[in-house]
Amino acid sequence: MKIIAGRSLASWYFSWPMLPSRRLRAMTEAVRSLYDRNRQRGDAPWCGLAYDFVCPSMGTYPFQWFWDSCFHAIVLSHFDTNGARTELRSLLAHAQPDGFIAHVTFWQRERFEALLSTYSIAYRTPYLSDCIQPPLLAEAVAAAASGPGGGAFLAEVLPRVRRYYEWLHEVRDPDGDGLIATLQPDESGLDHTPKYDRYLGIERCALPDFTAAWQRVAGPYAAVGRDHRAMFALDRFVVEDVLVNTIYAENARVLAELLQGAGDAVGALQWRRRAQATAAALMAKCYDPSAGLFYDLAGAREEPLRVNTVSSLLPILLPDLPQPAVEGLLTHLTNPAEYGAPFPVPSVAMNEPRYLAPSAESTLVYRGPTWLNTNWYISRGLRRHGRPDLARTIEEGSARLVERGGFREYYDPTTGRGFGASDFSWSGLALDMLARLEEHAA
Ligand code: GLC
């Protein structure tokens, strides 16, 4: 790397005040180079298919993760539409006949066997996990379908995308209330979030305790052959998760638009209704008006998990959220004691007893630091609800985090220092947020 007066060219470039368009170009180039470094390409002898995707981070996550790949496709759609489509083709390559799509595809697992021993993962096959992740596939497909050739791409992938959402609807909402359920903590993507601590019986905030808790859930599942009905019946970990369902509702809405565009008015109506049903159920069952927050529901008895985390704020994304609920969320979001940090939005309210500032020692995730994927959702919600001022603060803050500290997995909300994996791909969402910031400033 080129060095100017002892500093890298990248840090020099980013630290100068720049015209907005130059700033956006610099961010685009930084993301392009990151994605080139993290790109995985090859042939997989186990299935006879070629793969081509951007992995989350070469050091810790070299495989294809579901929601990461969806975020990557959204980012790629800014500068490499073909790359965005290729990313999703690899993700969809192992969509199962019933619709299920694994949360990790271990395309090149032989090269990383040592790393695999550090993961707690339920396998469907040695190459596919047996879990879901937050379902933002429709949004990713919509982004990748923009531009020339988008219609053909949609025609190619839409049947599998639709089947995936039908599977979620049929298999993951056994009580039919419009809210899909997760069956283990990693299905929310928020693996170690403190909102599950009590439910999982976690006392100490240390990785072995989480691994043991995960085993307590996954062990009995293995004993029943990981059959969905049996797993639900065990009632070990059944969570109607606010973040997962907010993303599900948004994607049901986007799926309806995609179906409408493809001429399937009946399917579009059905998914529009499902989107509304999920949003209504979030409001009716998860919103606590006295707290002004949304809470996950746990177990067959649907006990609210009353922990104030970023999940509780995610429904700001829902376009039809009633105004009192919007106001409630804004009060928390802007409170300096909770989420109004210098580098918002922390993943746990800073005044929660279980809030944990990031440290180089801890590998636990979603217990306090700021993550750019949740920032991406919240800032979009703020624009939908007429608060571009607050959206700008988050978008600007997210871009600055990357400009100062590079693409890290998460950041200290107070100092902005980066932690966790380096060269972490979905932090490239800073590009989408910066583009939005400039689009609305114009
Ligand atoms: C961690 C995160 C999960 C993410 C994965 C790869 O397991 O909790 O959300 O998908 O890393 O980045």
Side-chain angles (χ1 to χ4, degrees):
M1 179 181 285
K2 196 164 178 181
I3 304 293
I4 303 172
R7 292 168 61 192
S8 74
L9 183 58
S11 71
W12 185 272
Y13 196 53
F14 277 134
S15 63
W16 276 86
M18 284 185 278
L19 289 172
S21 57
R22 221 178 138 200
R23 186 183 184 196
L24 189 58
R25 279 207 304 276
M27 181 66 84
T28 307
E29 286 320 307
V31 175
R32 192 196 300 274
S33 146
L34 168 74
Y35 281 20
D36 282 348
R37 293 195 294 283
N38 285 353
R39 191 159 176 189
Q40 301 291 297
R41 267 184 289 195
D43 295 304
W46 59 273
C47 59
L49 296 176
Y51 59 87
D52 186 348
F53 65 94
V54 175
C55 76
S57 166
M58 281 309 295
T60 30
Y61 311 114
F63 309 109
Q64 184 166 30
W65 263 264
F66 180 97
W67 75 327
D68 298 71
S69 257
C70 292
F71 288 127
H72 303 165
I74 288 163
V75 175
L76 279 162
S77 68
H78 280 271
F79 59 89
D80 179 5
T81 312
N82 278 335
R85 293 175 190 166
T86 303
E87 179 90 18
L88 296 175
R89 285 191 179 105
S90 284
L91 184 64
L92 290 165
H94 294 286
Q96 301 293 295
D98 64 357
F100 170 82
I101 300 175
H103 99 299
V104 189
T105 308
F106 300 93
W107 286 105
Q108 8 64 314
R109 71 166 287 158
E110 285 77 13
R111 280 172 43 210
F112 301 96
E113 287 293 344
L115 193 60
L116 284 171
S117 62
T118 65
Y119 295 166
S120 295
I121 285 210
Y123 292 93
R124 180 173 275 223
T125 77
Y127 298 96
L128 296 177
S129 74
D130 194 36
C131 296
I132 59 163
Q133 265 193 331
L136 51 127
L137 181 61
E139 286 178 277
V141 165
S146 61
F153 171 71
L154 256 188
E156 173 195 336
V157 298
L158 199 52
R160 278 170 294 171
V161 174
R162 167 95 184 260
R163 219 175 303 133
Y164 167 67
Y165 288 98
E166 295 290 349
W167 180 88
L168 287 175
H169 173 77
E170 279 156 27
V171 177
R172 288 309 187 98
D173 181 14
D175 60 3
D177 65 356
L179 300 173
I180 57 170
T182 54
L183 283 161
Q184 40 191 85
D186 37 336
E187 291 203 317
S188 68
L190 312 170
D191 307 14
H192 311 120
T193 170
K195 66 186 185 175
Y196 306 143
D197 281 5
R198 266 190 60 188
Y199 186 43
L200 284 171
I202 298 234
E203 302 279 344
R204 257 177 356 130
C205 190
L207 188 59
D209 298 60
F210 287 92
T211 309
W214 188 89
Q215 286 296 349
R216 285 197 292 277
V217 172
Y221 287 170
V224 296
R226 295 194 63 86
D227 167 75
H228 272 89
R229 257 190 224 115
M231 289 194 281
F232 276 115
L234 284 172
D235 205 7
R236 304 289 301 185
F237 184 99
V238 178
V239 175
E240 292 177 322
D241 191 290
V242 171
L243 175 137
V244 170
N245 278 286
T246 302
I247 292 176
Y248 178 58
E250 171 67 3
N251 278 265
R253 194 185 62 73
V254 174
L255 176 61
E257 280 174 15
L258 295 177
L259 291 168
Q260 189 75 47
D264 180 355
V266 176
L269 181 64
Q270 183 182 46
W271 277 99
R272 212 170 295 126
R273 287 201 177 128
R274 287 179 184 167
Q276 283 158 0
T278 302
L282 277 165
M283 195 59 213
K285 298 181 78 171
C286 301
Y287 187 60
D288 178 338
S290 61
L293 291 168
F294 288 78
Y295 294 126
D296 297 359
L297 305 175
R301 292 174 49 200
E302 302 192 333
E303 301 277 357
L305 300 177
R306 293 183 206 283
V307 185
N308 186 2
T309 73
V310 71
S311 278
S312 296
L313 307 181
L314 255 263
I316 193 84
L317 183 71
L318 302 172
D320 299 325
L321 196 67
Q323 198 54 26
V326 173
E327 297 300 333
L329 296 182
L330 293 181
T331 306
H332 292 280
L333 184 65
T334 53
N335 179 1
E338 293 176 81
Y339 295 100
F343 292 93
V345 178
S347 45
V348 178
M350 292 179 292
N351 59 0
E352 261 293 337
R354 297 242 154 175
Y355 170 84
L356 198 66
S359 72
E361 293 73 48
S362 175
T363 52
L364 299 176
V365 296
Y366 286 102
R367 294 194 72 93
T370 294
W371 292 68
L372 293 207
N373 60 338
T374 43
N375 276 8
W376 184 73
Y377 273 120
I378 291 174
S379 55
R380 287 169 59 215
L382 289 166
R383 287 196 180 275
R384 286 181 177 172
H385 290 287
R387 292 306 301 263
D389 52 330
L390 297 177
R392 267 198 303 273
T393 305
I394 295 174
E395 290 157 356
E396 173 63 36
S398 301
R400 268 198 304 140
L401 283 171
V402 166
E403 288 165 350
R404 289 164 40 132
F407 299 95
R408 296 300 298 267
E409 192 174 6
Y410 44 84
Y411 302 86
D412 188 313
T414 310
T415 64
R417 208 177 134 200
F419 287 92
S422 299
D423 265 0
F424 188 69
S425 299
W426 84 37
S427 292
L429 285 168
L431 171 59
D432 191 78
M433 288 188 265
L434 195 55
R436 211 178 317 129
L437 193 62
E438 296 196 357
E439 182 193 323
H440 288 278

